[in-house]
Amino acid sequence: LKYVELSSATAMQQPLSSGHYIIADASTYTAGEPTVMSDADATFTITDEDAGAVEMKNTIFVDMDRSANEIIGEPIYDEAGVRIGTVHDVIVDRSGQMMTVIVADGGPLSIGDKKAAFNSDELYLDDASGQYRMNIGEDDIAAANTFSYDPTKASTKVDVMPPEGISVKKLAQAKLVDHNNEVVADIDNISFDANKSIDQLIVSYDKILGMGGDEAALDFSKLRLVEDRKGLRMQMTGNQSAEFRAVGE
């Protein structure tokens, strides 16, 4: 797995045995606020059950527990630990900031279940139980308006996707394209920081018949989000396209 800084490309080391971290050389990385999950402070010490205490210098850590593949489809519990539904989708704005969580009142497939939109501030990961929880109950889901992705369905009883909204479920199935709009990778996963904003895109490339290939992580904020009749995709500039291709050589 590699990390593409989009101003320089650096090789990525293997995740720790816990599977929760992607680790990359980040000597040129500009750290965000101290509260974000991906950071580049001078030194981290991580305790790994196989390797013991491991000191990593100039590294980026991405907590995959806070990724789209881990959140979407997961059960949601109320603050008492009672299961109340599942995460059907997450809606973000164009900057990648979480806006709403789409809750389905049934199982993981959420086919035919009622879907309702709730403020993303209600969602949190309970560290003690490992559960995603919300400060709502089954009665709140039952009383809430139904959610629709179709803006023409808006009514007093139906909430719809806001104009600036992007479905994370849809984005996680989109493509990474170069400056000529040519597909160069598939988006496989999306990680969020502790402020509930998209942090990294995990992409796969150089597949053969849709299988195998390599993976890389890219900073979401440095890419252009494009949505038109052709669908949703993330686009690189000419320089970024050259840097991305250099990683695979």
Side-chain angles (χ1 to χ4, degrees):
L1 188 60
K2 301 174 181 178
Y3 183 81
V4 183
E5 171 53 26
L6 297 182
S7 61
S8 63
T10 55
M12 199 167 210
Q13 301 178 44
Q14 291 297 316
L16 297 179
S17 61
S18 64
H20 290 170
Y21 297 97
I22 294 173
I23 310 171
D25 179 1
S27 58
T28 61
Y29 183 84
T30 301
E33 295 298 323
T35 55
V36 301
M37 296 303 297
S38 296
D39 208 346
D41 291 341
T43 304
F44 287 92
T45 299
I46 298 296
T47 300
D48 181 58
E49 59 186 22
D50 290 342
V54 181
E55 184 180 86
M56 308 297 298
K57 293 184 177 180
N58 296 321
T59 55
I60 295 172
F61 296 93
V62 181
D63 188 344
M64 299 309 288
D65 280 344
R66 299 180 190 270
S67 69
N69 290 354
E70 290 296 324
I71 298 172
I72 295 173
E74 279 296 295
I76 298 177
Y77 299 83
D78 64 17
E79 293 193 313
V82 177
R83 178 170 173 161
I84 57 174
T86 59
V87 179
H88 175 73
D89 201 354
V90 173
I91 307 301
V92 298
D93 64 20
R94 300 282 162 163
S95 71
Q97 183 64 47
M98 268 194 205
M99 301 170 63
T100 56
V101 177
I102 310 304
V103 178
D105 62 0
L109 297 179
S110 60
I111 299 174
D113 300 323
K114 177 180 179 179
K115 299 172 185 64
F118 292 91
N119 192 301
S120 62
D121 289 343
E122 303 289 349
L123 178 71
Y124 67 95
L125 178 63
D126 181 66
D127 292 331
S129 63
Q131 298 172 343
Y132 280 98
R133 295 189 176 186
M134 296 186 75
N135 187 27
I136 60 173
E138 291 180 324
D139 292 344
D140 296 303
I141 299 174
N145 285 352
T146 299
F147 174 80
S148 173
Y149 292 96
D150 185 351
T152 67
K153 302 288 188 182
S155 72
T156 57
K157 295 184 178 180
V158 180
D159 294 330
V160 298
M161 174 83 84
E164 72 277 19
I166 296 293
S167 161
V168 168
K169 195 173 186 178
K170 184 177 179 181
L171 182 60
Q173 299 172 349
K175 305 292 185 181
L176 176 70
V177 300
D178 64 14
H179 58 296
N180 291 319
N181 213 32
E182 296 293 329
V183 174
V184 296
D186 297 325
I187 299 175
D188 288 344
N189 202 358
I190 299 166
S191 72
F192 290 88
D193 62 29
N195 296 319
K196 299 181 181 177
S197 185
I198 294 179
D199 182 23
Q200 306 289 331
L201 297 182
I202 312 302
V203 303
S204 58
Y205 60 99
D206 287 346
K207 292 181 177 180
I208 299 176
L209 298 178
M211 301 178 65
D214 296 314
E215 289 186 316
L218 299 91
D219 186 337
F220 172 82
S221 68
K222 294 184 179 179
L223 299 168
R224 179 188 176 209
L225 192 153
V226 180
E227 187 176 27
D228 55 23
R229 292 181 180 179
K230 295 181 180 180
L232 186 67
R233 57 198 181 278
M234 299 300 298
Q235 188 171 39
M236 296 183 289
T237 65
N239 287 340
Q240 291 171 345
S241 299
E243 290 164 355
F244 183 84
R245 288 192 171 92
V247 171
E249 293 178 352

